[in-house]
Amino acid sequence: TGLATGQRLVTIQEGPLYRTEGSHVTLWCKVSGYQGPAEQNFQWSIYLPSAPEREVQIVSTVDPSFPYAIYTQRVRGRGIFVERLQGDAVLLHITELQERDAGQYECHTPNTDERYFGSYSAKTNLSVIPDTLSASMAPQALIHMEGDEVELTCEVSKSTAQHTHLSVGWYLLQGTGEHHAEEILTLSKDFVLKPGPSYEQRFLEGDVQLIKVGNTTYRLVIRGVKPSDQGQLYCEATEWIEDPDKTWKDITHKQTERTLLAVSKGRDLSVDIAAAERSLSEGDTLQLSCVVGAPKNSSSRHFEVIWLLNDMEVAKIDPHGVLIWEEGHEERAKLGQVRAFKPSNTVYILTISEVGLEDKGTYQCSVSEMKSPGDLHSIQTNVSSGIQVNVKPIGKPSRTLSGGGSLPFPSRGKQQTGQQRWQGIPGSSGVGLGTLEKRVLSVFWEIAGGKVGGRKGTGAAWTWQSTEQLSGERHCRSSSSTAAVPGAVGTGLPCGGRVAVGWHCCPMPRALSSRAGLGLHATLRSRVATVTYGQSFELFCQVDADYPLEGVPASVRWLFQPRLSTGPLHELVQVSPSGTVVWGTAQPHFQGKAQLAKAGTAFRLHIHSALPAHEGTYQCEVQVWRRNILPLGQPAASTSSNAVGIKVVLPESKLQVATEDSSMEIASSNAAIECRIMFAQNNSQFAVTWYRLPLLADATPLQIVRADYSSILEHGSEFSSAAQKSRFLSQRVSSNVFQLQILSADSRDEGRYYCVIEEWLWLVDGWYKLGEGTSGRTTLKFILPERELRMERTNHSISAREGEEVTLPCRLQGALPPSARLSATWFQVKGSGRDRALLTLHRDGSVGYPQERLAGRLHLRRPSAGDCSLTLSSVESGDAGAYYCQLQEWQQQSEGKGWTLRASARSGYAQLATIPPESTVLSRICSSPPLLNFILYLPLVLILLLTLAVFCWYCKFRK
């Protein structure tokens, strides 16, 4: 700056620059305003941190003897060289950066002008940092059939001290050359998902996904794998850093080992049957899964599955999903003891909730494929697989356990219960528990003979954890005694925690009373209570006493409590009477930001360039010693100041989000809803949360999914099932556009959609939220077909006693066309008027449970293809309300093509009322209608009998 036109000016890449050890580094340099030849020469030197005033020559474009000895070998071997971009611009290359290459680099241009006029060199700083990036994936060889789903996981991590971003991509290498790698899908450094050209359409359809799980796991999912996907797949991670000129530079790359994927085109079926547990005891639950290996277009193929036990048929599920129980098992199915269903077109489940000895033997799963549903003469393939299951008679359990608790026995009958009391082992204290499987256990933890706490739970293992051990002197106080018992506690429980019956543990109070009467006072003040990020502020600790303090040895201890913290204040720094400064370890954000000073009897703490981490409560503690006493020994007096709060205001958010409302109408396809950022700061990152607002006037918004600033997904409670997660996808399709994709949308998805975008900024020590913006509403409507299905629409009032079973009707009137498929969804209308999906029968016959906690109580018995009545077992009081079902008829356009919605209909409401269970036998008898009628007519019957007896006596007397 300040140079006139025509002056020589040398410019170099702005620093400081951070590059990783072992990487290839370039630095640019150019000259302007020079005289003489168009091709200028350049000389590069370095000033090392160990000798910042000494020039060490590296390389020159004109003088081969220019390098010093320590660089000669690397220059001759082209490890360091200069690339000429044009006559007056060059690049310095260091092909493999070493730790000793850190320092201040100077680019010098020898004079070609008539006289010296201007600048002839420029400098920049280069720091060498460790390469902490790692990327790993277990190498494997996978063989999949066409149409399968492939899932690969890559672990990526870094621990760079500087603020950096990551990009993670998946690549496919086909052939023998390394140059044939094809990009599949990449999560960019800006957290935008970018598919490769060959995978763009499949990405938009949701068949290719990259899912970030936690901070280090990246998962690639390819649905409907194709022969073109076979080859070597690997994951590549790149670490990026922002240079002072606001450009991002890749500083290191890592590739994982490769996974070999082979894709077969065959259509042969395979069947695999598995049991969660093959050796059971009476009363246990048996769950069998039958997985059909259908390599191609498995969702559009037609399978009939038969479950067999010891070669005897148990149940059959046809291609429509209609379930038929064989005689002998139908009654147990009505009681909810056996259950069969298909969660997908290739997975079939058989569950027996309370097995008996009659349930042991060989189970088989037989699968038949048909050209079309119901065409029994077009069976293409019939395969089966078997598994042996053993059931043992229940015996008397014998266990030993420290503590106390109860363990339920398994039982066959619903009303039978049993418990075993676990007795404590004498003399045990504070011992851990072993593993207890498939039982409910209540336990107590013992310390010094008293119950400290207890836990109840289910699961395969119990884990006991203690909090961190408290340091410092402590005392315990009994609720029945005021005597302190120092050192009685070693449990690591926090202050106030229950250590033994009636005992409480707290830190010892500071013993200052013996030195508090010397009239020593401290007052803490600040000129400002609120500062903006990056501004500076000061705190003054003024000390006063009833005696002169000049020359009195004094120390100051600065304390700090972060915002939102409720614990004790942490020590920031302590300054001894001799001036020694000792920094605390709890708050590292203050070192290098704080300056300490003393003026008379006032101590000053100056914080420059305030960070959000500096927001909180401050306090100072002062100690003074008697004069001229060496060593100092114990302080003569101590005092603590008042607390002062400092608030740090973050930079103002510039975020602007598009707020225009829009609408969208679809028939039976995918839907994509956009959310657009109109303006934001260049270095911001964004979190987006998608909401659906039902069309009802007083509806409450439902959170669908949230993607934070690093693309980690969190689904709302109504959308947390596996089926919902796979249908609702949040993607960032460009730097300013987010998109919610709804796959296979239907009328259930109608509503008003919007997003809330949060602006996040990295501020030296972490990510901070600056603000947020809400988009306009996009109203999604489903175009219903002109033709409606014929079904029963009568409203029903149904009563059911709690604990019993009830069936809610939903029946199609008339036959379903042979080539058509039926889907059904059951809804419950709660008091707020919001419809809640309970169960969905997909058009391939599989069943999904949006409310997973109800999966064990909801059943579609389906005696026929058009009967989708819902059976609710073990009725509870909370089940009361209105229910209805919605049916949809689907027709495939042509073989291998998509499905089109042809007709739809909704049933009438079934109003379910629940009745509390009968409490006594007498009340059950008295509520019997025949007995009630008998009681009502009993007086009349007695009168008639008495009249008849009198008449007979009179007739006898006359004779």
Side-chain angles (χ1 to χ4, degrees), residues 12 251-252 302 319 338 428 482 538 554 585 598 656 708 778 814 923:
I12 194 172
I251 57 176
T252 182
H302 315 294
V338 293
S428 64
T482 58
E538 287 183 328
T585 59
K598 180 184 178 184
Q656 296 180 14
D708 70 6
T778 297
S923 62

Side-chain angles (χ1 to χ4, degrees), residues 544-555:
D544 299 299
D546 296 340
Y547 50 88
L549 292 174
E550 287 76 10
V552 174
S555 73

Side-chain angles (χ1 to χ4, degrees), residues 455-696:
R455 293 187 182 180
K456 265 185 181 178
T458 60
W462 287 84
T463 303
W464 290 90
Q465 298 176 340
S466 63
T467 57
E468 294 182 2
Q469 181 73 33
L470 292 177
S471 60
E473 185 180 12
R474 299 187 299 282
H475 73 284
C476 294
R477 188 177 301 278
S478 170
S479 58
S480 59
S481 171
T482 58
V485 186
V489 181
T491 62
L493 294 175
C495 174
R498 189 166 180 147
V499 177
V501 176
W503 291 90
H504 296 269
C505 170
C506 293
M508 289 287 284
R510 294 182 57 85
L512 301 178
S513 58
S514 62
R515 303 189 291 272
L518 299 179
L520 186 67
H521 307 283
T523 303
L524 185 63
R525 58 186 176 85
S526 173
R527 291 192 178 96
V528 293
T530 302
V531 295
T532 303
Y533 166 79
Q535 289 184 340
S536 300
F537 65 92
E538 287 183 328
L539 295 165
F540 298 90
C541 182
Q542 180 65 49
V543 183
D544 299 299
D546 296 340
Y547 50 88
L549 292 174
E550 287 76 10
V552 174
S555 73
V556 63
R557 183 168 170 253
W558 290 94
L559 305 175
F560 174 70
Q561 183 185 57
R563 182 178 68 93
L564 302 180
S565 175
T566 57
L569 275 71
H570 304 287
E571 179 180 297
L572 284 183
V573 63
Q574 184 169 4
V575 184
S576 69
S578 63
T580 303
V581 176
V582 179
W583 287 95
T585 59
Q587 300 295 329
H589 302 299
F590 285 86
Q591 295 191 36
K593 291 280 188 179
Q595 295 177 349
L596 302 166
K598 180 184 178 184
T601 59
F603 298 90
R604 181 172 66 93
L605 174 64
H606 177 89
I607 306 294
H608 65 87
S609 300
L611 301 175
H614 297 152
E615 181 174 333
T617 303
Y618 293 80
Q619 191 179 29
C620 65
E621 286 185 359
V622 179
Q623 293 180 324
V624 296
W625 281 259
R626 300 184 185 278
R627 303 181 188 183
N628 304 324
I629 297 179
L630 292 175
L632 292 175
Q634 292 295 318
S638 302
T639 188
S640 297
S641 74
N642 58 295
V644 170
I646 296 294
K647 180 178 176 59
V648 179
V649 179
L650 297 176
E652 183 180 357
S653 174
K654 306 294 184 182
L655 178 66
Q656 296 180 14
V657 179
T659 57
E660 296 85 2
D661 293 339
S662 60
S663 61
M664 179 185 303
E665 292 185 346
I666 60 172
S668 56
S669 61
N670 300 338
I673 298 171
E674 284 193 352
C675 187
R676 187 177 297 272
I677 298 174
M678 306 304 294
F679 182 79
Q681 301 183 61
N682 291 333
N683 52 349
S684 296
Q685 293 300 332
F686 306 97
V688 59
T689 306
W690 290 95
Y691 294 91
R692 185 179 78 187
L693 192 63
L695 296 177
L696 298 173

Side-chain angles (χ1 to χ4, degrees), residues 394-412:
I394 189 168
K396 182 179 180 181
S398 176
R399 305 273 182 95
T400 303
L401 180 68
S402 173
S406 60
L407 177 66
F409 281 98
S411 61
R412 291 299 306 275

Side-chain angles (χ1 to χ4, degrees), residues 659-801:
T659 57
E660 296 85 2
D661 293 339
S662 60
S663 61
M664 179 185 303
E665 292 185 346
I666 60 172
S668 56
S669 61
N670 300 338
I673 298 171
E674 284 193 352
C675 187
R676 187 177 297 272
I677 298 174
M678 306 304 294
F679 182 79
Q681 301 183 61
N682 291 333
N683 52 349
S684 296
Q685 293 300 332
F686 306 97
V688 59
T689 306
W690 290 95
Y691 294 91
R692 185 179 78 187
L693 192 63
L695 296 177
L696 298 173
D698 57 348
T700 302
L702 304 176
Q703 179 181 327
I704 303 171
V705 61
R706 168 183 164 83
D708 70 6
Y709 54 78
S710 62
S711 295
I712 296 177
L713 300 180
E714 177 186 351
H715 289 80
S717 58
E718 300 279 346
F719 298 85
S720 59
S721 67
Q724 294 287 67
K725 287 181 180 179
S726 64
R727 288 205 318 117
F728 291 86
L729 308 176
S730 176
Q731 298 172 348
R732 187 175 181 181
V733 296
S734 69
S735 60
N736 66 327
V737 176
F738 294 85
Q739 195 175 82
L740 177 69
Q741 289 215 5
I742 308 174
L743 306 182
S744 302
D746 55 33
S747 57
R748 296 177 298 165
D749 303 320
E750 284 191 336
R752 290 165 290 171
Y753 291 80
Y754 66 95
C755 79
V756 175
I757 295 182
E758 303 167 7
E759 183 179 16
W760 291 76
L761 191 65
W762 176 268
L763 300 176
V764 180
D765 63 328
W767 289 96
Y768 291 90
K769 179 181 173 181
L770 302 187
E772 65 179 38
T774 302
S775 72
R777 268 63 167 171
T778 297
T779 301
L780 179 64
K781 292 186 177 180
F782 197 79
I783 303 174
L784 295 177
E786 295 181 0
R787 184 169 67 89
E788 286 196 359
L789 289 172
R790 295 177 55 206
M791 65 178 300
E792 295 181 8
R793 299 193 180 185
T794 307
N795 294 333
H796 299 273
S797 295
I798 302 174
S799 298
R801 197 170 301 281

